[in-house]
Amino acid sequence: MLLCLVSGILFFNACSKKDRIPGNGTVYNPTFLTLQLPAGWPAPAFSIFAANPLTEEGFQLGRKLFYDGRLSRDGNFPCASCHQQFAAFATYDHDLSHGIDNQFTTRNAPGLFNLAWMRELHWDGGINHIEVQPLAPITAPNEMGEQLSQVLQKLKNDTGYVRMFKLAFEDGAITSQHMLKALAQYMGSILSYNSKYDKVKRGEANFTLSEQQGYTFFKAKCETCHKEPLFTDFSYRNTGLTLNTFTNDFGRMRITGNRADSLKFKVPSLRNAALTFPYTHDGRLYTLGQVLDHYRNTVAPGPTLDPLLTGGIPMTSTERGNLILFLNTLTDTVLTKDPRFAAF
Amino acid sequence: MEKATRYRGWGLLFTATILLGTACSKKDTPAPDEPVGVVTLSFSHTVKGVPMVLNGPAYTNALGETYTIRKFKYYISNIVLGNGSVSDAEKESYHLVDQASTASLSFNLLPKVNSYTTLSFVLGVDSLRNVSGAQGGALDPLNDMFWTWTTGYIMAKMEGNSPLSNQPNNRIEYHLGGFSGPHSVLKKITLALPPGKTLDVRKGQISAIRIAADLDAWWQQPNSISIAGLPICTTPGAQAKAIADNYAKMFTITEVINN
């Protein structure tokens, strides 16, 4: 009897959307959502939800997956272990993050927000679509260390997931594609646009004089790369940080195979910068002050150094102080406390 | 669109029940009665004309280097049957051909009734699918043909061992991919049917094309590949492209069967 029921669901549900077996709470009838873009922002160049319609059910499934340790081999390393909401989804206070078996990642974990605008992911831009990004941490031996097939088996053994996949996807199948699309719905929905800076832009708050002076300096010297309102132009640049000889990380060159891309890394967004310390691709700089001191004093010359940074960016101590005050206005505590993105 | 519907309709009849879900869930209009036939495409793998055996005998390449084969698989996509100005393209045309899986070595096409003289396909997965996010079916990353550090499919994979390899356990590994730029390994391959032969697709009939792929082609022409010099090639680039230029020539049609 049960078998009949199960196969009935499997084979005929898709055809007869209206007459479901009542009472099991697995009717596919999703609530479609539209991602509300902050007013005045440029529309993303492509929609990450075009082939992955955003639904409340898909989002909630993605949220559960993001916080679930079972996506890792030993159960201890969910996505959220390295991407913490209170740190704007970066790893708080870690140059490199802890992965499975007492290992470390080889790069600093960036914050996760406004990914809907980001065509290429990772410091070297090696990932070309948000949906396939999770395959990297899940299978990396120094991050979550798990096989995709094992993850799917664990999900299939959990009746909670069986139900949630049915609610989120028309055929209800627990497949890698559906898991990845759900994660993309969750991550792609995380927006950061409620910092003091944004409120100033909307006329809801005012900069202090120092913050304003920091902003003016920023517009003059930093804006080309850290372009508003996203605070990145999504390009890859060499900012004169010398090669990390421990990780031998040449950045973008690994992806393009082009020498001209040696030591170039993606321009990170500076939103929530006060929370995402330590800084740069390998977390070598601990404070914003140290980052500014790098721009001021230690920009290393080299064939691929960005021309904008030849000779560094001179600044007085006052300018340095004002810049830090300005960068602090980019912290978005609405995001870091939003219950919608919190642990499932 | 009409074609898509037609293919799905026939999929119901000819392939596994998995398709049933898809057929039902997409609210397409019922298949119009366009006549289609069935063509079974089958692949056999050889090395210098001798049937390939995985984990079996040692083979010798053009440079006299010996090696054994543990894995041999590749993607075939965008299959088109043609005859002059007439052509028929398979929809959702993605197939993983894997020497280790007998079931993967043959599959059915459902082309429009016609007589065809050419078969063309892409060896690999077209660039669009490499940039379109999570895929399913043959393109599921579960199939172990997907890079996670730089997005993209491994179009063809060969692994084995060779005494000439300086790698741990004398391993040799060729994971060939890269879908854009000067080092793209994507190859469009067009095979003409034997002279005077046509593939006759008739309603309700099953015809067949048998294809042989000879791995020996990987090592030579136009590029001489030495195992000692290149025991491992697992990133996109000039070396992968050099092997792809060779393997583009590995296919021949051995038989066309009309019923």
Side-chain angles (χ1 to χ4, degrees), chain A residues 11-12 14-15 17 51 119 122 124 126-129 131-133 135-136 139 148-149 152 170 175-177 180-181 254-255, chain B residues 17-18 20-22 24-27 130-137 140-142 146-152 179 183 236:
Chain A
F11 293 112
F12 303 116
C15 302
K17 232 184 116 176
R119 176 85 231 197
H122 284 186
D124 55 18
I127 310 294
N128 68 22
H129 199 293
E131 286 174 14
V132 295
Q133 191 284 336
L135 294 168
T139 60
L148 193 52
S149 54
L152 293 173
E170 190 160 10
T175 61
S176 70
Q177 191 178 33
L180 294 167
K181 282 182 183 285
R254 177 176 178 225
I255 303 305
Chain B
T17 32
I18 309 161
L20 193 59
T22 332
C24 299
S25 59
K26 307 267 160 71
K27 282 160 231 68
N130 280 274
V131 299
S132 303
Q135 308 291 319
D140 194 316
L142 271 177
F146 191 79
W147 276 311
T148 57
W149 59 278
T150 180
T151 309
F179 57 88
H183 298 140

Side-chain angles (χ1 to χ4, degrees), chain B:
Chain B
M1 191 60 231
E2 267 176 22
K3 258 188 203 160
T5 316
R6 166 163 55 76
Y7 271 65
R8 262 192 225 107
W10 283 85
L12 252 168
L13 288 176
F14 287 101
T15 52
T17 32
I18 309 161
L19 276 171
L20 193 59
T22 332
C24 299
S25 59
K26 307 267 160 71
K27 282 160 231 68
D28 285 335
T29 46
D33 261 336
E34 268 186 78
V36 296
V38 180
V39 176
T40 302
L41 213 57
S42 58
F43 292 81
S44 63
H45 299 144
T46 56
V47 187
K48 289 183 172 165
V50 178
M52 178 187 292
V53 179
L54 295 183
N55 305 306
Y59 301 102
T60 309
N61 70 9
L63 298 172
E65 300 173 313
T66 57
Y67 63 99
T68 54
I69 307 168
R70 187 171 51 249
K71 281 187 191 169
F72 181 60
K73 48 189 196 168
Y74 51 87
Y75 276 112
I76 295 289
S77 72
N78 297 282
I79 300 174
V80 180
L81 289 171
N83 184 357
S85 59
V86 177
S87 68
D88 195 301
E90 187 191 31
K91 289 288 177 304
E92 273 301 307
S93 185
Y94 299 95
H95 306 271
L96 179 58
V97 179
D98 180 356
Q99 171 70 4
S101 154
T102 313
S104 78
L105 296 176
S106 74
F107 49 85
N108 289 343
L109 309 176
L110 307 165
K112 215 180 295 180
V113 162
N114 217 322
S115 289
Y116 298 97
T117 53
T118 57
L119 166 71
S120 69
F121 54 82
V122 172
L123 175 45
V125 177
D126 53 82
S127 54
L128 185 62
R129 287 300 170 105
N130 280 274
V131 299
S132 303
Q135 308 291 319
L139 300 180
D140 194 316
L142 271 177
N143 293 326
D144 202 22
M145 292 289 276
F146 191 79
W147 276 311
T148 57
W149 59 278
T150 180
T151 309
Y153 284 93
I154 296 168
M155 312 299 181
K157 185 186 261 193
M158 194 279 255
E159 290 181 12
N161 299 85
S162 167
L164 280 305
S165 164
N166 59 4
Q167 298 296 309
N169 301 323
N170 301 106
R171 185 184 301 150
I172 60 174
E173 273 183 25
Y174 304 94
H175 298 182
L176 306 171
F179 57 88
S180 66
H183 298 140
S184 167
V185 299
L186 288 177
K187 296 290 175 192
K188 185 174 174 191
I189 289 161
T190 301
L191 302 173
L193 269 45
K197 255 298 199 193
T198 55
L199 173 75
D200 300 325
V201 177
R202 301 288 173 254
K203 193 175 172 177
Q205 292 190 359
I206 303 179
S207 37
I209 300 182
R210 301 223 160 114
I211 298 171
D214 198 301
L215 178 82
D216 192 53
W218 284 42
W219 311 112
Q220 64 205 308
Q221 276 167 36
N223 305 306
S224 176
I225 305 294
S226 138
I227 293 176
L230 188 66
I232 304 272
C233 178
T234 54
T235 60
Q239 292 167 325
K241 166 80 160 54
I243 299 177
D245 289 344
N246 293 350
Y247 72 44
K249 302 193 178 65
M250 74 172 163
F251 296 101
T252 42
I253 292 182
T254 53
E255 208 176 349
V256 176
I257 303 162
N258 294 314
N259 282 320

Side-chain angles (χ1 to χ4, degrees), chain A residues 32 100 218:
Chain A
F32 288 96
I100 202 162
F218 183 88

